[in-house]
Amino acid sequence: MHELFEKTLVLIKPDGLQRGLIGEIISRLEKRGLLLVAAKLIRIDKNFAEEHYKTHMNKPFFKGLVKYITSAPVMAMVWEGENSITAARQTAGATNPLEALPGTIRHDLALLSSRNLIHASDSSDTAEKEIALWFSQNEILSWETSNHLWIYGKN
Ligand code: CMP
């Protein structure tokens, strides 16, 4: 893997599945040039959700957040690419959809922070921990597409 390449965890949350937006969200990340290296549909339980969101344990919205993320299946994915952590968060948009830039998933497809469709790891440290929580090593593939150089060619 290229030295600048990173892996990041992206979740399509229950609202994304209920609203039929899996394809739309995956399409935006694919078109950006990121590479899908792991994916699964999974219904997580309360303990798992509390572990994933433990940094928000003391937030007033924590209980509701856990209820939301466990209310239906989520689509968990690992996306790889140069600066993929920053790129995926940029494509997701700001946490509050009303503050997200036009063209981002949250701006274009959502209205509230409490139903903001997507999660993307916020740093390399978090990405590493979140990927290890959601995926085992053998679920993460190492591959590249034939148009790789049309995304990463440097002049
Ligand atoms: P996410 O990127 O998954 O990280 C933490 C989540 O908490 C966030 O997206 C939202 O789904 C949720 N969240 C953040 N702020 C609020 C809020 N003010 N009210 C409800 N949920 C929130």
Side-chain angles (χ1 to χ4, degrees):
M1 198 170 79
H2 190 286
E3 59 183 11
L4 289 171
F5 278 17
E6 299 171 332
K7 290 183 174 71
T8 189
L9 182 88
V10 174
L11 306 175
I12 305 176
K13 297 178 182 178
D15 44 341
L17 273 75
Q18 295 293 330
R19 293 177 55 200
L21 293 172
I22 295 177
E24 169 82 29
I25 291 170
I26 288 182
S27 178
R28 287 173 180 232
L29 295 164
E30 276 184 314
K31 286 181 199 155
R32 187 85 197 266
L34 296 173
L35 184 71
L36 186 60
V37 294
K40 62 182 165 194
L41 267 186
I42 177 172
R43 176 97 186 244
I44 59 167
D45 64 17
K46 187 166 172 273
N47 283 347
F48 191 100
E50 286 177 351
E51 176 64 25
H52 173 74
Y53 277 131
K54 66 182 174 200
T55 55
H56 298 291
M57 212 164 68
N58 297 319
K59 304 268 173 59
F61 56 79
F62 183 69
K63 213 170 154 209
L65 177 60
V66 169
K67 201 168 168 209
Y68 157 53
I69 203 79
T70 56
S71 64
V74 302
M75 179 94 194
M77 299 170 285
V78 178
W79 288 85
E80 181 184 277
E82 191 166 313
N83 298 309
S84 66
I85 297 167
T86 302
R89 283 181 71 77
Q90 198 179 43
T91 294
T95 302
N96 180 350
L98 292 185
E99 289 165 11
L101 292 174
T104 63
I105 290 164
R106 286 167 171 165
H107 170 278
D108 294 353
L109 306 170
L111 288 169
L112 304 183
S113 299
S114 53
R115 294 291 180 274
N116 65 358
L117 292 172
I118 180 168
H119 168 84
S121 307
D122 66 8
S123 66
S124 51
D125 186 45
T126 311
E128 205 174 301
K129 288 186 183 132
E130 290 182 347
I131 290 168
L133 177 66
W134 287 81
F135 287 94
S136 56
Q137 204 48 48
N138 64 5
E139 292 176 303
I140 302 170
L141 305 190
S142 180
W143 71 295
E144 66 180 41
T145 60
S146 56
N147 68 7
H148 184 83
L149 282 179
W150 295 106
I151 297 165
Y152 290 112
K154 299 203 169 76
N155 297 331

